[in-house]
Amino acid sequence: MEQGEAAAPAADEKGGEEEDDFGYRLFPDRNKKPQSFLVRSLFTFHNRCQLMLRMTLDTNPYAQLLLEAMKQSGCTVFNDRHFSCEDCDGSVSGGFDSATSQIVLCQNNIRHQSHMNRVVTHELIHAFDHCRAHVDWFKNVKHLACSEIRAANLSGDCTLMNEISRFKFGLKGHHQTCVRDRAIRSILAVRKVSKETAEKAVDEVFDACFNDLEPFGRIPHSKTDAKRAYKDFQNRDRYNANL
């Protein structure tokens, strides 16, 4: 899940599954009857969200690589089917609803194109993981932790410029620290577990999941890195096709 800068909701120390809504409280529009196109078109937030989404899908190399990787994995993504612009809780910017295989984009919280690029990329990584692996999102917190680590690591969440904008500075190991912290925050936002449980899950899978760079093949620290990774991915596909 892609978070805003607000603090994550307090965790239930008991971690009782029966009381866990799996983060759906953050996305209240999920349970509402869909509005007509005419009604939705009257809302500026919705129009802006749709326009920014289209720009991301058409021009952003992070998203383009993930869309192609999803297609090759047998999970073609369609704009109208797999993305939904909705109003959300103020603490989140997006989410992946595995029950519907749909990416939720928080139209009331995403206000500029670079933010949309990052949110779409982050959630597409969750969608890619959902496609390629048997992820138990609801009962296995380690599975959730792994995907959150990968999303924070590969989406650009922890680039130097983004961290500076959060007034966080560091040198050695700063990227890894950022990835760990954001993965923990995301788990706490959508699961009623203690901070200790979230930290333990992240730490136990961190090395393996941090080093799982599919489908990028590298950590894309910038759009230039993402473009290179996209080109490498396309070349790898052409090479495999000729074997």
Side-chain angles (χ1 to χ4, degrees), residues 41-134:
S41 68
L42 297 176
F43 290 91
T44 303
F45 280 169
H46 189 81
N47 285 344
R48 183 179 62 186
C49 178
Q50 290 287 346
L51 289 172
M52 288 194 294
L53 170 61
R54 174 48 59 194
M55 179 68 72
T56 296
L57 299 181
D58 287 346
T59 66
N60 185 262
Y62 290 87
Q64 289 174 326
L65 192 159
L66 285 160
L67 290 171
E68 191 160 326
M70 292 274 290
K71 184 177 181 179
Q72 288 190 19
S73 298
C75 302
T76 301
V77 176
F78 298 98
N79 185 0
D80 294 339
R81 162 65 181 86
H82 294 107
F83 293 95
S84 179
C85 290
E86 302 175 9
D87 286 339
C88 308
D89 180 89
S91 66
V92 294
S93 301
F96 175 65
D97 185 352
S98 60
T100 60
S101 296
Q102 198 168 46
I103 289 171
V104 181
L105 301 171
C106 298
Q107 60 193 19
N108 55 321
N109 297 329
I110 302 174
R111 296 188 172 87
H112 51 81
Q113 189 63 50
S114 62
H115 191 189
M116 176 63 80
N117 293 344
R118 194 167 71 250
V119 173
V120 170
T121 301
H122 184 111
E123 302 308 335
L124 277 174
I125 291 169
H126 291 322
F128 176 76
D129 288 346
H130 185 70
C131 174
R132 70 168 181 156
H134 298 291

Side-chain angles (χ1 to χ4, degrees), residues 165-188:
S165 72
R166 300 175 188 124
F167 301 102
K168 293 185 178 181
F169 309 92
L171 295 174
K172 186 176 181 181
H174 183 73
H175 180 77
Q176 288 89 334
T177 299
C178 171
V179 169
R180 179 182 182 274
D181 290 348
R182 292 186 71 79
I184 292 168
R185 287 184 62 201
S186 290
I187 293 171
L188 292 175

